[in-house]
Amino acid sequence: MNQPRSAAVAAAGAATGVVAAWIKALSEPRLQQITERLWPPKPEQKEMVGADPTGHPDNAPPALIVDSVTRAVAHRPATRDERVKGTLVIHYAFGAGLGTAYALLRRAAVEPISHR
């Protein structure tokens, strides 16, 4: 039986990673609400980097990466819109990258070298 080519395995892994990132994005706001009901944060905690992705998506760690890159390349701070959109790009690219890496590593671990 022929094993799938690496490109097909990588594409399937990337697609799976994007779906997983989408599920995370959908579930995160609700989980934040539940958690904050159980353990209410102080107002200053809500302002910390990455602490409130629902209320402050422009203050998430990926948004700060977008701002740093924009400052280095365009010599200006990123706008709020650029930070939010850039966060989505990083979020889904990270999911796709991890899915791809997992699929290829799993294939390498399961498939003997002689069958590649």
Side-chain angles (χ1 to χ4, degrees):
M1 191 161 157
N2 281 336
Q3 293 292 325
R5 295 182 49 216
S6 292
V9 171
T16 302
V18 167
V19 170
W22 177 68
I23 291 169
K24 178 187 179 288
L26 287 178
S27 63
E28 203 166 36
R30 182 72 179 132
L31 291 173
Q32 180 180 341
Q33 291 171 355
I34 292 167
T35 303
E36 287 184 5
R37 240 184 267 128
L38 294 171
W39 299 283
K42 296 176 184 169
E44 62 270 15
Q45 290 173 315
K46 294 280 282 184
E47 298 303 319
M48 295 173 71
V49 172
D52 186 10
T54 302
H56 300 290
D58 58 321
N59 198 28
L64 300 182
I65 292 170
V66 170
D67 186 57
S68 293
V69 170
T70 303
R71 287 174 188 271
V73 173
H75 308 291
R76 63 169 177 79
T79 65
R80 184 177 195 280
D81 189 50
E82 289 170 335
R83 285 174 157 208
V84 172
K85 286 179 180 175
T87 295
L88 291 175
V89 170
I90 290 170
H91 176 76
Y92 287 104
F94 192 72
L98 285 178
T100 300
Y102 174 81
L104 291 173
L105 289 171
R106 185 181 183 292
R107 177 177 181 228
V110 171
E111 182 182 318
I113 294 174
S114 62
H115 289 108
R116 289 189 196 158

